């Protein structure tokens, strides 16, 4: 299996965490999401990965540029300007001479998941369409892209964030796809194009067969603060057995790097992750807090549902709730 991973977006909804780090490189329980993704793909039988980079591209080159990460054959392709999720796939395959090389797996780079891409790959071969979209069921579709399919799993409609009561199905796009070269050929050779807004509607209009493969694996988009905290919580609380935490566990779901300095009078309520060089002062109260490296939280500060980027200093007696700090 060969995969293109889309990692070039601006990550605007996760600012300021993404001001200096691209979203797929933010740490989840002490390790970059991208590293967790590459390890999983290697374990699931993917051999060749192409990272489609753009925003803060040099950071991917620094982290994975030698191409040997996790035993994968890894290439990095940088768009001259953001081409959108569809334009980026086409450009990456053009630049690597793979436009005609058979089916390609395409993945969003901002999902923490244990979804098995080999199952999607097999389902695609059985369906025999030009594209297969991984979908999952949710109770409330209003914040997602709905993918509606018939009893043979053939897709007949897409709906972007349908208002309550108007959704055609309860299955949503879960950010993993397999495309045949014939589908990629429908992406314009120039300019910006999105998979959801441009490619899928144009394939449907041409009556090209698109199928939906439904899975029920864990899948968490980290693109918002709530999603980022939820993904960290899943790993810190041990809900994803294959994902390890990079730190020491002080109590159930309360983790910190070995060199973090935590006052014995501080109150830490899981899930908590404190990175290298973090300092927590006396009587500070932290609940659901993810702090990256060298974060100082002074005495008696009170933090709830907070994610904190490197080198931030939280003043004593500060109260912070439901915020990303950078
Ligand atoms: P927001 O700005 O918060 O909407 O996030 P985003 O645009 O970074 O991510 P979004 O969830 O919209 O995109 C899904 C995936 O596609 C993410 O992994 C992005 O990094 C990636 N992506 C989005 N746009 C582009 C693009 O123009 N080029 C490339 N290479 N990747 C992209």
């Amino acid at each position: 299996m060969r995969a293109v991973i889309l990692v070039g977006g601006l990550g605007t909804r996760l600012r300021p965490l993404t001001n200096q780090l691209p979203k797929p490189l933010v740490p989840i329980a002490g390790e970059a999401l991208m590293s967790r993704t590459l390890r999983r793909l290697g374990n699931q039988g993917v051999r060749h990965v192409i990272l489609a980079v753009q925003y803060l591209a040099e950071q991917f080159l620094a982290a994975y540029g030698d191409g040997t990460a996790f035993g994968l054959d890894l290439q990095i392709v940088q768009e001259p300007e953001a081409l959108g999720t569809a334009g980026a796939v086409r450009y990456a395959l053009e630049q690597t001479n793979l436009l005609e090389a058979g089916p390609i797996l395409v993945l969003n780079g901002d999902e923490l998941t244990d979804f098995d891409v080999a199952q999607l790959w097999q389902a695609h071969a059985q369906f025999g369409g030009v594209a297969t979209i991984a979908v999952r069921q949710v109770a409330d579709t209003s914040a997602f892209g709905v993918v509606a399919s018939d009893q043979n799993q053939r897709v007949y409609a897409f709906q972007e964030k349908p208002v309550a009561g108007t959704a055609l199905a309860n299955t949503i796009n879960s950010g993993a796809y397999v495309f045949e070269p014939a589908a990629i050929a429908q992406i314009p050779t120039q300019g910006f194009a999105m998979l959801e807004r441009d490619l899928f509607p144009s394939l449907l209009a041409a009556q090209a067969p698109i199928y939906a493969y439904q899975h029920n694996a864990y899948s968490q988009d980290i693109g918002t603060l709530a999603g980022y905290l939820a993904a960290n919580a899943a790993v810190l609380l041990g809900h994803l057995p294959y994902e390890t935490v990079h730190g020491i566990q002080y109590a159930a779901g309360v983790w910190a790097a070995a060199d973090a300095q935590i006052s014995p009078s501080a109150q830490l309520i899981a899930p908590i992750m404190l990175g290298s060089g973090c300092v927590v002062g006396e009587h500070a109260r932290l609940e659901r807090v993810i702090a990256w490296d060298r974060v100082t939280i002074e005495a008696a500060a009170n933090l709830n549902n907070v994610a904190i980027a490197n080198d931030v200093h939280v003043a004593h007696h500060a109260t912070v709730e439901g915020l990303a700090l950078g």
Side-chain angles (χ1 to χ4, degrees):
M1 282 183 286
R2 177 179 284 135
V4 171
I5 312 182
L6 293 162
V7 293
L10 296 175
T12 51
R13 289 163 298 153
L14 203 53
R15 285 176 184 163
L17 300 182
T18 47
N19 283 352
Q20 279 152 10
L21 207 56
K23 182 167 55 169
L25 292 188
V26 300
I28 303 294
E31 186 183 32
L33 173 63
M34 189 78 259
S35 297
R36 295 185 182 276
T37 301
L38 292 174
R39 184 181 303 113
R40 172 174 63 89
L41 295 180
N43 289 340
Q44 293 176 348
V46 175
R47 290 290 158 262
H48 183 188
V49 168
I50 302 153
L51 296 184
V53 304
Q54 216 285 318
Y55 175 63
L56 299 176
E58 64 286 355
Q59 298 199 28
F60 292 96
L61 288 160
Y64 307 108
D66 69 357
T68 57
F70 308 101
L72 294 162
D73 172 8
L74 192 134
Q75 285 177 284
I76 298 180
V77 176
Q78 180 176 358
E79 295 140 59
E81 63 195 6
L83 292 175
T85 48
V89 174
R90 175 158 199 150
Y91 185 78
L93 294 175
E94 267 167 15
Q95 294 297 308
T96 50
N97 288 321
L98 291 169
L99 275 176
E100 297 298 331
I104 184 85
L105 189 63
V106 173
L107 304 169
N108 281 354
D110 57 355
E111 294 264 330
L112 178 70
T113 177
D114 56 7
F115 172 55
D116 185 355
V117 294
Q119 290 178 3
L120 172 64
W121 188 264
Q122 276 167 17
H124 173 77
Q126 282 161 6
F127 288 140
V130 296
T132 302
I133 305 172
V135 300
R136 64 190 172 90
Q137 282 187 333
V138 291
D140 176 8
T141 55
S142 59
F144 301 101
V146 168
V147 181
S149 55
D150 66 16
Q151 69 277 20
N152 298 318
Q153 284 79 54
R154 185 157 170 175
V155 175
Y156 63 85
F158 296 95
Q159 282 179 302
E160 199 51 35
K161 301 187 176 74
V163 281
T166 65
L168 294 168
N170 63 356
T171 38
I172 60 159
N173 178 345
S174 94
Y177 322 87
V178 180
F179 294 110
E180 292 295 322
I184 303 294
Q186 295 303 312
I187 303 171
T189 51
Q190 301 283 321
F192 188 93
M194 297 290 282
L195 292 171
E196 309 84 329
R197 270 207 324 258
D198 302 310
L199 179 61
F200 293 140
S202 84
L203 290 174
L204 267 193
Q207 298 190 332
I210 309 174
Y211 289 88
Y213 171 73
Q214 190 175 324
H215 70 88
N216 55 11
Y218 174 85
S219 188
Q220 178 64 58
D221 173 345
I222 69 152
T224 60
L225 175 63
Y228 178 65
L229 291 174
N232 276 278
V235 179
L236 296 171
L237 297 171
H239 297 164
L240 296 176
Y242 300 109
E243 302 293 348
T244 53
V245 183
H246 289 231
I248 297 170
Q249 186 163 210
Y250 289 88
V254 176
W255 295 79
D259 63 355
Q261 297 171 44
I262 304 166
S263 163
S265 65
Q267 196 186 350
L268 304 183
I269 300 162
I272 297 280
M273 178 77 214
L274 301 169
S276 179
C278 284
V279 177
V280 180
E282 287 178 2
H283 302 292
R285 184 182 184 282
L286 278 57
E287 178 168 358
R288 243 177 117 79
V289 171
I290 306 301
W292 299 359
D293 293 341
R294 301 174 301 280
V295 169
T296 300
I297 298 164
E298 287 190 354
N302 188 343
L303 276 58
N304 191 333
N305 268 300
V306 176
I308 314 175
N310 294 339
D311 301 303
V312 169
H313 200 113
V314 180
H316 62 98
H317 291 282
T319 295
V320 186
E321 194 164 339
L323 269 187
L325 304 178

